Amino acid sequence: NWPWIPKLKYGERSQVASVCKLCGAGCGLSIHKVGKRPVTAQGNVEHPLSQGGVCPLGSCAVRLLYRPARVKGPVKNNGGKLEPISWDEARRLLDEKLRGGKVACISGDENGSASELLAGFLALLGSDDFYFMPSDGQVSSIAWKMMGGKGQLGFDIENSDYVLVLGADILSSCGPVVRNQKAFASKKGKYVYAGPVQTGTAAAVDKWIPTYPGQEGTLALGIAYYLLKMGKAASLSSFARVRDFILSKYTPVAVEAKTGVRASELKKLAQELVRAKAPCVVIGSDFGQGSGSFEWAACILVNFLLGNFNQKGGLVALPENKVIKSAPLRSELNQKVLPEFLANVAGGSKKVDALLVYEANPVYALPQASQVAEAFDKIPFKVSFSTFLDETALKCDLILPNPHFLERHDDAYTPFGVGKEIYSASAPVIKPVVNAKPTADFILELAKAMGFDLGFETFEEVLQAKAESLGADYDSLIEGSAYTSNKWIDQDSLSLPVKVLENGLMPEGEGVFLAPVARNYLGNIKQALTPSEVILVKEYELNGKDLYVQVNSATARKLGLKQNDRVKLQGSGRECVARVNITETVMDDVIAAPLGFGHEAWDEYVRGKGDNVFKVLTIAEEKGSGLKVWNRSQVKVVRA
Amino acid sequence: MEHIEFKVKWGMVINIDKCTGCGACMVACQAENNIAPMVDGSDKTMTLNWIVVYELSNGKPFPEHEVAYLPRPCMQCGKPSCSTVCPVVATKKDEEGGIVSQIYPRCIGCRYCMAACPYHARYFNWYDPKWPKGMEKTLNISASPRPRGVVEKCTFCHHRFMEAKEKARYEGKDPMKLPEDAYIPACAEICPTGAITFGDLNNPEHKVAKLAKSKYAFRLLERLGTEPQVYYYSEREWVRRLADNYLPNEKTKGE
């Protein structure tokens, strides 16, 4: 009838399993196919992390195969002109550039064996400059190690009857969201959320407690104060000092001044937690990154005081695993902090000859963008292994496209936040629709050409070895049944340095608190807003090309702002242009701003829409750990 | 007005207290029903999506403010306002199951139905659907793409109903007595918090039949008499109160 409308191409229907790699949650997918073509992605009912559900981003997975921004084949970036080269040529070039030089790597794959492989390759090259993109999971690992802990922390919220969430938007954007939503849906008790904005989590939980951004740790210690008053104790070697410090410094008055949460509310929370059979306190920055070891130490302490460590429904320590001999364990890799590395490169104290970027977009998604750009300019040879033409790829000398995750072998090992050890693996669902080559296989080839032995010929062998080392059946993993275990790691003596606890007492700077808001339908730090999600964006997040930021009416009055006013948010020497939306979903003296806009690369679905809030986040140094934190950025709001 | 009482009445109960506003239902719907992406999504008078997640507010200032999300598919009204105004019989409610049909080749794009629908559940194709090169390979073979100039709306993934009936017949079972979950629309299937329950409102064995009778269940603009087959559930009074035009002295349903 309508020849200009696409005709449906019929074929036999089937379903195959896959594992989503669009964020760190590692959901099991069920890919519906017609003939050889995948058509839709749905949740895998058999998989413990998706249980048939999937987030909006995961739901777009199949359509992303044909996102216009895909890198169509290996290219050399000749001053902005992308010139095609062959894979062999690319390998020879890398062989030449990486030999004898100082090589670093940035990976956005926080749970996959590909990162392990890259870290192992770097180790053979004599470098330990492997960095994950920053995340709360990484900081939890740093705090846990600082306390002398072993394994990876997780939250067994499925079995909890009282979940108190401080900051982390666990039902919208933080951690394994679908699994969190499933746990929430079948909850036995109560969920309480404390944060500056009424996010998706705040909308659904039993109670929302407004609290200033970046004050999650202080709030936790405010609760710890009452728990200590009740005589609760934790088995820490430094417990007496920790207790005295909290009782003298984190008094309800001090905590209220910092967090905005009343003493009576803190006391009530403490009492409800104590009354619960299996309470769990979850912490995190409200946008999934930028927190410090202070927040995590405070969270660990509260859970210890509640006596729920390594208990059903509580905070748990999970085992670790690796199969690449030369690679460090994930918890060791997590000790290396990317913003610190980039600051050193930008400042000249660290020299790097070559940088490999895997599945990450640091040029877009890191705070203090000017410093990132400066660091990138100082590295003479950069390679991006990105599936899509993102901001980082455009800054690299070589772009060697990794296939879309549906076109390659991949895996996910115990995503951060889950309460048990989980391993999922997947095989390609379709042949690459562009000239892409799995990065992991390319690295194995390259290593071999350079005379290194990583112990495996193909990446599939790595996954098979991983399955074997866990005692899992590789074929069933590929078919969609994840491996799980309920092993929790016993700990030796733990301690908590009091110095770190001082961070909650630091005076605040000037300006309005900035609460960046991440939502899965706005894309994430890896994937820009997808074509299918464009219509999901709310009018109060983006209108035309204008980014919208949110303040409540009291704050608007204070700042002299009216609806739709054009403003500039200024922070860390940069600024962000936006319009004002007045809404009561934000607490007093806080400005909420959606993350995910202001892309300069990608495709017409995102390019030039709104502004990038990452630019105005300010990095501060944490006392006691020296860690970089940016969860309590403040901005100056001026009229544009 | 013609009104048929059906033996089978497909319906939804959407638990607003469980919805986190994630939007997975909206994306799943697009993929299932071959809705093409749009470059600009901010002009909501031109966008096209069969299910929309609205943000609700209790209207109070911070800190008394509360927020909730309400996914809105087609209500599949028992007494539809849309089908009665259609001059070309492109939309009808005449099939067992009680789903309001939409027959695209018949639609002349007059948009009377859009004006008549009190729920804004109908959408006009202002443009021809355009998929980026290659993305047309991901089209669902069960749903035909529509051209510009026609109105479309949620059909409770009617093709899935057809497939479920066909499967039942093939297995020698009664297609008029589909068991729970034998037929379920894409939005309900994907919802990560299980906020959307789907089934036959007339079948006491289906969860929806019981849920729809709950004290906290309500429908949108119920007093218009459209008899929607989509129910909502919320224990929050202010949410229920937003659902209809209450006078200040009237008690909210469920209170």
Side-chain angles (χ1 to χ4, degrees):
Chain A
N1 258 6
W2 302 301
W4 60 93
I5 303 294
K7 284 224 161 44
L8 297 174
K9 290 189 193 78
Y10 297 94
E12 201 186 332
R13 289 167 197 257
S14 59
Q15 286 181 30
V16 286
S18 184
V19 179
C20 186
K21 294 296 287 182
L22 295 171
C23 82
C27 292
L29 297 180
S30 169
I31 304 295
H32 291 231
K33 293 174 79 173
V34 172
K36 285 184 179 163
R37 292 175 290 126
V39 288
T40 56
Q42 293 174 20
N44 176 355
V45 182
E46 308 296 321
H47 195 276
L49 296 182
S50 58
Q51 299 163 50
V54 49
C55 79
L57 191 54
S59 181
C60 298
V62 177
R63 283 186 168 190
L64 288 178
L65 284 166
Y66 303 99
R67 179 168 198 159
R70 276 203 76 171
V71 184
K72 309 290 185 298
V75 283
K76 219 171 167 172
N77 191 350
N78 201 345
K81 234 178 87 198
L82 302 180
E83 297 162 357
I85 61 164
S86 72
W87 281 102
D88 284 339
E89 213 179 314
R91 197 185 55 239
R92 277 196 295 276
L93 196 63
L94 258 103
D95 189 330
E96 176 197 317
K97 294 277 187 186
L98 302 189
R99 238 177 246 273
K102 288 204 170 64
V103 186
C105 178
I106 299 173
S107 170
D109 180 8
E110 51 189 272
N111 61 33
S113 297
S115 286
E116 194 182 315
L117 185 82
L118 282 161
F121 176 56
L122 240 61
L124 295 178
L125 288 169
S127 161
D128 64 350
D129 282 317
F130 178 93
Y131 299 89
F132 282 119
M133 283 293 279
S135 68
D136 277 347
Q138 173 170 40
V139 186
S140 81
S141 177
I142 292 170
W144 190 226
K145 200 142 220 165
M146 173 187 80
M147 294 177 68
K150 285 180 297 192
Q152 175 181 316
L153 290 177
F155 301 100
D156 186 28
I157 58 171
E158 285 91 344
N159 296 308
S160 173
D161 64 345
Y162 190 103
V163 181
L164 172 63
V165 187
L166 306 178
D169 194 4
I170 63 163
L171 303 181
S172 297
S173 60
C174 286
V177 175
V178 174
R179 166 269 189 174
N180 295 344
Q181 288 176 312
K182 287 284 175 190
F184 169 74
S186 57
K187 69 181 169 133
K188 295 185 236 3
K190 197 169 171 180
Y191 272 63
V192 177
Y193 172 71
V197 183
Q198 283 180 328
T199 58
T201 306
V205 293
D206 301 283
K207 191 175 170 55
W208 174 55
I209 298 172
T211 176
Y212 290 115
Q215 303 296 338
E216 300 86 15
T218 307
L219 184 55
L221 293 185
I223 295 165
Y225 172 92
Y226 281 105
L227 296 175
L228 290 166
K229 284 270 178 195
M230 289 179 212
K232 301 282 173 193
S235 57
L236 296 169
S237 58
S238 53
F239 178 67
R241 268 177 299 137
V242 167
R243 183 189 58 208
D244 295 345
F245 187 78
I246 291 172
L247 288 176
S248 64
K249 302 285 186 190
Y250 286 89
T251 58
V253 178
V255 172
E256 181 175 338
K258 278 282 185 190
T259 61
V261 182
R262 281 205 202 102
S264 55
E265 189 80 68
L266 291 169
K267 191 173 177 183
K268 203 176 141 215
L269 282 173
Q271 286 168 340
E272 287 185 357
L273 283 164
V274 168
R275 233 176 286 135
K277 274 197 202 78
C280 189
V281 180
V282 181
I283 212 163
S285 140
D286 46 355
F287 58 109
Q289 53 168 265
S291 61
S293 54
F294 164 64
E295 281 82 11
W296 287 92
C299 167
I300 294 164
L301 177 68
V302 171
N303 282 299
F304 273 36
L305 291 173
L306 290 167
N308 65 5
F309 178 69
N310 273 356
Q311 300 290 319
K312 230 175 160 194
L315 174 75
V316 294
L318 305 168
E320 293 196 82
N321 176 288
K322 69 173 184 107
V323 290
I324 306 282
K325 274 204 195 78
S326 55
L329 280 169
R330 192 197 289 176
S331 59
E332 287 157 4
L333 294 173
N334 268 329
Q335 305 304 310
K336 311 233 2 158
V337 182
L338 180 58
E340 194 180 317
F341 165 74
L342 291 172
N344 292 341
V345 173
S349 63
K350 176 117 202 164
K351 219 183 130 286
V352 175
D353 299 308
L355 174 71
L356 312 177
V357 185
Y358 177 71
E359 293 271 302
N361 190 5
V363 172
Y364 171 83
L366 282 180
Q368 248 159 280
S370 45
Q371 188 183 291
V372 182
E374 212 177 311
F376 263 64
D377 288 341
K378 289 212 168 144
I379 302 172
F381 182 70
K382 299 169 289 283
V383 187
S384 164
F385 295 98
S386 177
T387 310
F388 301 95
L389 200 60
D390 58 17
E391 284 77 3
T392 305
L394 285 179
K395 279 254 180 193
C396 288
D397 305 281
L398 266 186
I399 310 169
L400 306 178
N402 192 27
H404 179 291
F405 75 87
L406 291 172
E407 301 165 333
R408 63 181 198 239
H409 280 95
D410 216 329
D411 65 347
Y413 177 68
T414 319
F416 175 69
V418 302
K420 54 182 153 193
E421 187 188 29
I422 293 182
Y423 185 57
S424 335
S426 61
V429 171
I430 181 175
K431 277 192 202 139
V433 299
V434 294
N435 182 15
K437 187 170 193 146
T439 305
D441 286 312
F442 178 78
I443 293 293
L444 284 167
E445 273 175 32
L446 174 66
K448 198 173 169 190
M450 292 176 79
F452 297 121
D453 183 12
L454 279 157
F456 299 94
E457 290 286 322
T458 66
F459 189 49
E460 190 179 12
E461 284 176 21
V462 176
L463 307 190
Q464 282 163 342
K466 195 144 211 164
E468 198 182 332
S469 74
L470 292 165
D473 176 37
Y474 177 72
D475 292 333
S476 349
L477 288 177
I478 296 298
E479 282 160 20
S481 330
Y483 159 84
T484 62
S485 87
N486 288 320
K487 276 177 247 155
W488 292 333
I489 306 292
D490 293 332
Q491 306 293 323
D492 306 329
S493 93
L494 298 168
S495 77
L496 206 173
V498 173
K499 189 117 190 100
V500 169
L501 297 181
E502 289 173 17
N503 283 288
L505 305 164
M506 306 286 275
E508 304 302 334
E510 279 176 25
V512 188
F513 285 111
L514 177 66
V517 177
R519 298 216 66 160
N520 273 353
Y521 65 75
L522 300 178
N524 60 21
I525 57 168
K526 273 201 248 188
Q527 181 69 231
L529 174 71
T530 69
S532 304
E533 290 170 306
V534 167
I535 57 159
L536 271 70
V537 179
K538 306 259 196 296
E539 304 94 306
Y540 58 76
E541 288 162 339
L542 184 85
N543 205 331
K545 304 250 175 204
D546 293 336
L547 174 76
Y548 268 79
V549 291
Q550 338 282 332
V551 288
N552 73 22
S553 50
T555 314
R557 262 196 307 279
K558 216 188 255 181
L559 298 171
L561 299 175
K562 291 203 178 63
Q563 180 69 26
N564 298 329
D565 271 358
R566 225 173 229 292
V567 291
K568 279 184 199 159
L569 310 185
Q570 297 174 329
S572 78
R574 298 288 283 257
E575 56 186 30
C576 205
V577 184
R579 281 181 187 270
V580 172
N581 176 44
I582 298 174
T583 165
E584 302 304 313
T585 54
V586 187
M587 75 183 291
D588 288 345
D589 302 316
V590 172
I591 190 158
L595 290 171
F597 296 111
H599 279 284
E600 290 162 13
W602 297 85
D603 43 36
E604 56 179 345
Y605 294 97
V606 286
R607 204 185 298 125
K609 289 183 180 179
D611 211 340
N612 182 3
V613 177
F614 276 108
K615 282 192 300 194
V616 295
L617 297 176
T618 315
I619 298 179
E621 195 166 296
E622 189 183 45
K623 239 173 135 179
S625 70
L627 209 60
K628 309 282 183 201
V629 295
W630 57 96
N631 59 344
R632 58 185 97 158
S633 299
Q634 282 162 294
V635 286
K636 228 177 118 189
V637 183
V638 296
R639 275 172 192 284
Chain B
M1 203 199 302
E2 170 196 33
H3 173 65
I4 314 170
E5 265 308 323
F6 298 103
K7 278 199 222 64
V8 176
K9 214 157 85 181
W10 295 109
M12 272 178 191
V13 181
I14 303 177
N15 186 339
I16 293 181
D17 298 346
K18 277 191 181 174
C19 179
T20 64
C22 77
C25 52
M26 290 177 70
V27 180
C29 173
Q30 285 181 65
E32 182 73 21
N33 294 296
N34 293 341
I35 295 170
M38 289 183 83
V39 174
D40 178 20
S42 56
D43 184 351
K44 301 298 180 193
T45 58
M46 306 297 269
T47 52
L48 194 159
N49 32 228
W50 294 0
I51 183 167
V52 181
V53 179
Y54 289 107
E55 189 176 295
L56 309 180
S57 157
N58 70 346
K60 293 189 178 166
F62 173 82
E64 276 85 44
H65 189 262
E66 278 187 48
V67 69
Y69 294 98
L70 181 141
R72 199 254 27 237
C74 169
M75 300 288 129
Q76 316 295 354
C77 300
K79 294 176 181 165
S81 321
C82 54
S83 62
T84 45
V85 299
C86 181
V88 293
V89 207
T91 177
K92 286 277 283 175
K93 190 184 175 88
D94 57 0
E95 187 196 28
E96 192 55 68
I99 296 170
V100 178
S101 65
Q102 183 69 21
I103 302 149
Y104 315 117
R106 285 190 196 162
C107 177
I108 55 169
C110 73
R111 288 172 277 150
Y112 284 6
C113 57
M114 287 174 70
C117 172
Y119 304 104
H120 297 273
R122 292 180 156 270
Y123 290 86
F124 185 61
N125 275 279
W126 291 101
Y127 314 103
D128 272 320
K130 213 175 120 199
W131 282 271
K133 195 171 173 288
M135 209 181 272
E136 76 282 350
K137 291 182 187 139
T138 67
L139 293 184
N140 178 4
I141 52 170
S142 300
S144 52
R146 288 76 56 190
R148 69 172 183 270
V150 303
V151 169
E152 56 188 62
K153 67 160 192 88
C154 156
T155 61
F156 273 180
C157 294
H158 185 264
H159 53 276
R160 289 190 175 204
F161 179 36
M162 306 290 275
E163 283 156 16
K165 281 196 288 188
E166 201 173 308
K167 189 163 173 256
R169 277 189 211 104
Y170 182 77
E171 288 167 355
K173 293 176 190 153
D174 183 356
M176 282 300 115
K177 278 201 183 109
L178 293 174
E180 182 102 43
D181 295 343
Y183 157 44
I184 175 171
C187 57
E189 186 179 22
I190 203 169
C191 179
T193 56
I196 308 178
T197 312
F198 185 81
D200 177 5
L201 292 162
N202 285 345
N203 185 341
E205 283 165 32
H206 284 199
K207 283 190 226 114
V208 285
K210 200 173 149 221
L211 285 171
K213 291 193 186 84
S214 140
K215 177 176 160 197
Y216 298 122
F218 60 96
R219 294 181 285 180
L220 300 182
L221 302 174
E222 207 160 302
R223 290 183 286 186
L224 287 181
T226 49
E227 299 289 331
Q229 279 165 223
V230 174
Y231 289 76
Y232 291 90
Y233 176 101
S234 179
E235 291 176 22
R236 291 174 273 188
E237 191 206 344
W238 69 266
V239 172
R240 297 198 301 275
R241 202 165 175 86
L242 281 177
D244 217 334
N245 294 310
Y246 285 98
L247 294 171
N249 60 343
E250 279 178 313
K251 249 175 81 179
T252 316
K253 204 184 165 202
E255 282 304 300

